[in-house]
Amino acid sequence: MRRLLVPLLALAMILSGTQVAQAAPDPLRTYAKDTWKSLVAMTDPATGLVADNIPGDLSAPDAYTSPTNIGGYLWSAVVARELGLISSREATQRVDRTLTTLAALRHHDESGMFYNWYDPHTGAVLTVLPDGTAVTPFLSSVDNGWLAAALQVVEGAFPSLRGKAARVLDRMDFGFFFNPAAVSPIGTRGLIRGGFWDTQPPGCSVASPADGVWFTCNHYDITVTEPRMATYLGIGSGQIPATAYFDTMRTLPDSCDYSWQEMQPRGFTTTHLGRQVYEGSYRYRGITFVPSWGGDMFEALMPDLFVPEAAWGPRSWGRNHPATVAAQIEHGLNDAGYGYWGFSPASNPFGGYGVYGVDAMGMDTDGYPSDVEGGKYDAGFGDCRPAGPPAVYGDGVVTPHAAFLALPYAPGPVRANLAKMKNNLGAYGPGGFYDAVAVRSGTVAQRYLSLDQSMIMGALGNYLAQDVIKKAFVTPRFERAVRPLLARETFNVPAGQRLPQLGGR
C-alpha cells in the first residue's frame, strides 16, 4: 500500500486541479540531446560517415572526414541509445550503415589501417581537401587508434554487429606502427611512429622498402599524450610488447641537456619490466602532476573515456587525472583570471583552428597557450635557465569539450563552468556548445567539430550511464594485458595532495 501512496496523492492533486511540480531536467541530458543533433546533421544518411565539422546553424557540413571522426560518431551512437535519445533499432541501423561503408573503404591492405581523409558522401580517399589544399594520403597511428577504440566499443555494445565490427578491427595491426629500434631521450627502446605514407611524400620520411611504405620521422615518446590509445590497443591485442608502455617518458630528464622543456622536473628513477623509468613531474601553483606535451585536456583525458585509467592505476593515473583537472581550473579562475576554464585544441574564435592549453602544464616550452595573444609562462630550469618575466594573459579561449572531459573528477565545477559559458558567453547553439569562445572579447567560434562533439558525448555517456563506453570497450583480454601495467606504477604525484578546486557535485 505504501508504494501506491505517492501516485495516489499525485492523482488526487491532478483531479482537484492542483499542479504537480515536475523535476527540472538535468542540464547534462539537454546538452547530450543537442550535441547528438549536431552529429546527426553532420552525417551522410547514405554512407553513415560523419563530416569533420559543420557551421553553428547546422547547415552545409564540410565535405571531408577522418578515421577519428568516424569512430567518434560510432561511440556517440552508443551513448545516444543509452540515454534514450534514439531507439535501439535506430542506433543499430546507424552503426550498421557506417560499418558497411567502412568495410568497403580503401585502406592499406598489409596493416589494415585507414587513410586520414575521405569524402563522407562517396567514401573516396581525398588528395585535395575542400578548401583546395593538396594532401598526400597518410595513415596515422593516432587517428586509427580512435577508430579502433570505437570498433571495440561497438563489439561490446551491439552483439548483433559484433562480427561485422570485428571484420574491420581484426585486420588493423598496430604492430605495423611500432619501431623496436626507436630510442627515447632516456635510452629506452620501442616506440610507435606517427604514421606512414604508401607513396613518397614531400618532406621528412623514412623509406621502408620491405614494407613498401615511407614512415614518419617522428615517434611518440611522451606518456601523457593521446597516442597512448594506440599503444594500449597494440598491447591489448598482443601486437606491441608490454614494455612499450614504460618506454615513453613521464617527463624529459631533469638535466641541463633538456633545459629547453617547460620547467625542471622532480622525481625518481625506478624499473618496470626491466625498463628504467624516470618518474618525473611538474609543479604549478602548488599542484603536482605529470605533464602532457602541450598542457591541454585532450591529451591528458581523452584515452580515459575508454580505458579505466584512474581505477586501474590508482597510484598513477588515479592521482594524475584529478591533479590535471585541478590545475586547469586553477589556471582559468585564479592565475589567468578568465572566470572560466577548460583548455584544449579547438576552433579559433577568430577563424581557423588553434591549439590551446595551459602553457605551464606542457613539456613543450613553446607549448599551447590559453589565450589568443599567446601568453607565456616560464618558470626557468634551476641553474640551467633563468625564469622569464611573469606571464601576462589576454583573451583566453575556453573549449567546452575540455570541461566535459573533467566530469569524472570535478562534476560540480564542470556543471557550474558550463552553465556560465552558456548563460554569460553565448556559447550555446542548436547543436549544443559551440566549439570555443574567447572570454574577454566574447568572440565565439560558431561551429561544431565532430571530434569535439563526440568527446562530449563520450564523457556524458560515461557520467550519466554508468561508464557505458568503458564497459563496452574493455574486454577480458584487454584487461589482462593492460591493467597490470597501470597498476604497478606510482607517478611522482603525492597521494592525497590538496586539490580544493575539485569540491562539489
Side-chain angles (χ1 to χ4, degrees):
M1 190 64 183
R2 292 178 64 186
R3 292 183 180 178
L4 295 174
L5 181 59
V6 173
L8 288 174
L9 286 174
L11 178 61
M13 293 172 72
I14 293 171
L15 292 175
S16 65
T18 306
Q19 294 294 316
V20 180
Q22 296 292 319
D26 186 341
L28 295 182
R29 291 187 173 272
T30 301
Y31 301 158
K33 178 181 178 181
D34 292 338
T35 302
W36 174 246
K37 187 187 303 181
S38 74
L39 287 163
V40 170
M42 279 187 265
T43 302
D44 186 300
T47 63
L49 299 183
V50 65
D52 180 80
N53 64 84
I54 194 170
D57 62 0
L58 304 184
S59 65
D62 219 329
Y64 64 100
T65 190
S66 72
T68 296
N69 295 333
I70 297 166
Y73 172 70
L74 290 173
W75 74 67
S76 295
V78 174
V79 174
R81 181 191 68 182
E82 292 303 306
L83 297 184
L85 306 179
I86 58 176
S87 67
S88 179
R89 180 179 180 183
E90 180 181 344
T92 301
Q93 289 173 337
R94 286 181 173 277
V95 171
D96 184 46
R97 188 174 301 119
T98 304
L99 292 177
T100 297
T101 301
L102 263 177
L105 287 183
R106 179 184 154 200
H107 60 280
H108 182 250
D109 290 335
E110 289 77 8
S111 66
M113 297 297 168
F114 290 85
Y115 294 89
N116 246 33
W117 303 117
Y118 293 90
D119 185 317
H121 307 300
T122 67
V125 174
L126 294 178
T127 56
V128 179
L129 296 179
D131 65 0
T133 302
V135 290
T136 302
F138 177 66
L139 299 97
S140 159
S141 56
V142 171
D143 279 275
N144 277 283
W146 296 125
L147 175 58
L151 290 167
Q152 195 158 306
V153 168
V154 169
E155 285 187 352
F158 293 91
S160 65
L161 299 177
R162 187 171 297 151
K164 197 167 186 176
R167 283 190 288 276
V168 179
L169 178 59
D170 290 352
R171 71 191 185 199
M172 299 177 76
D173 179 9
F174 285 91
F176 199 86
F177 293 113
F178 184 69
N179 181 4
V183 182
S184 76
I186 58 175
T188 53
R189 288 184 179 272
L191 302 168
I192 63 169
R193 298 174 169 96
F196 64 91
W197 299 265
D198 58 7
T199 56
Q200 186 170 6
C204 186
S205 63
V206 178
S208 178
D211 298 308
V213 301
W214 288 259
F215 287 109
T216 57
C217 294
N218 73 297
H219 295 80
Y220 292 120
D221 57 7
I222 305 298
T223 303
V224 187
T225 52
E226 74 275 15
R228 72 181 183 274
M229 191 70 236
T231 302
Y232 284 148
L233 287 160
I235 293 171
S237 61
Q239 299 163 348
I240 293 177
T243 50
Y245 178 70
F246 295 110
D247 287 335
T248 56
M249 297 181 292
R250 281 62 187 155
T251 66
L252 288 156
D254 60 359
S255 69
C256 288
D257 291 339
Y258 297 94
S259 62
W260 54 264
Q261 66 180 297
E262 186 62 52
M263 65 179 74
Q264 188 168 29
R266 295 288 183 266
F268 56 90
T269 299
T270 187
T271 301
H272 297 295
L273 302 185
R275 295 310 211 250
Q276 196 170 73
V277 178
Y278 175 57
E279 296 287 359
S281 61
Y282 283 2
R283 188 168 176 83
Y284 167 62
R285 294 181 66 86
I287 300 170
T288 301
F289 57 93
V290 179
S292 64
W293 177 247
D296 57 288
M297 205 79 91
F298 160 71
E299 289 182 276
L301 290 178
M302 188 174 174
D304 189 54
L305 292 176
F306 304 89
V307 182
E309 291 179 314
W312 289 3
R315 293 172 297 149
S316 53
W317 301 105
R319 297 179 185 179
N320 207 57
H321 288 333
T324 296
V325 172
Q328 281 237 346
I329 298 174
E330 173 66 23
H331 178 77
L333 299 187
N334 298 322
D335 189 10
Y338 298 137
Y340 305 86
W341 59 273
F343 309 95
S344 205
S347 298
N348 183 337
F350 298 92
Y353 191 78
V355 286
Y356 304 105
V358 179
D359 182 36
M361 297 177 64
M363 274 187 269
D364 180 7
T365 192
D366 296 319
Y368 305 166
S370 63
D371 62 350
V372 174
E373 294 82 359
K376 291 284 295 175
Y377 176 96
D378 186 358
F381 197 97
D383 296 330
C384 310
R385 188 188 81 228
V392 177
Y393 301 108
D395 199 0
V397 178
V398 291
T399 54
H401 79 265
F404 278 100
L405 289 174
L407 265 174
Y409 307 102
V414 168
R415 287 175 179 271
N417 189 42
L418 292 170
K420 286 170 58 183
M421 286 187 198
K422 180 181 179 182
N423 298 330
N424 301 343
L425 297 177
Y428 202 85
F433 284 94
Y434 293 123
D435 205 48
V437 56
V439 300
R440 288 181 176 150
S441 66
T443 308
V444 179
Q446 292 192 4
R447 69 169 180 164
Y448 301 104
L449 270 60
S450 60
L451 168 58
D452 297 351
Q453 297 298 85
S454 63
M455 279 192 272
I456 291 172
M457 289 296 290
L460 287 170
N462 281 335
Y463 186 75
L464 296 173
Q466 293 75 51
D467 283 336
V468 60
I469 297 298
K470 290 177 180 172
K471 289 177 180 176
F473 172 81
V474 173
T475 65
R477 180 184 182 186
F478 183 90
E479 184 170 359
R480 285 194 301 271
V482 175
R483 184 170 187 164
L485 304 177
L486 277 58
R488 71 183 298 139
E489 186 174 17
T490 301
F491 283 171
N492 186 39
V493 177
Q497 69 170 320
R498 187 169 177 269
L499 302 172
Q501 301 288 9
L502 303 190
R505 301 300 298 177

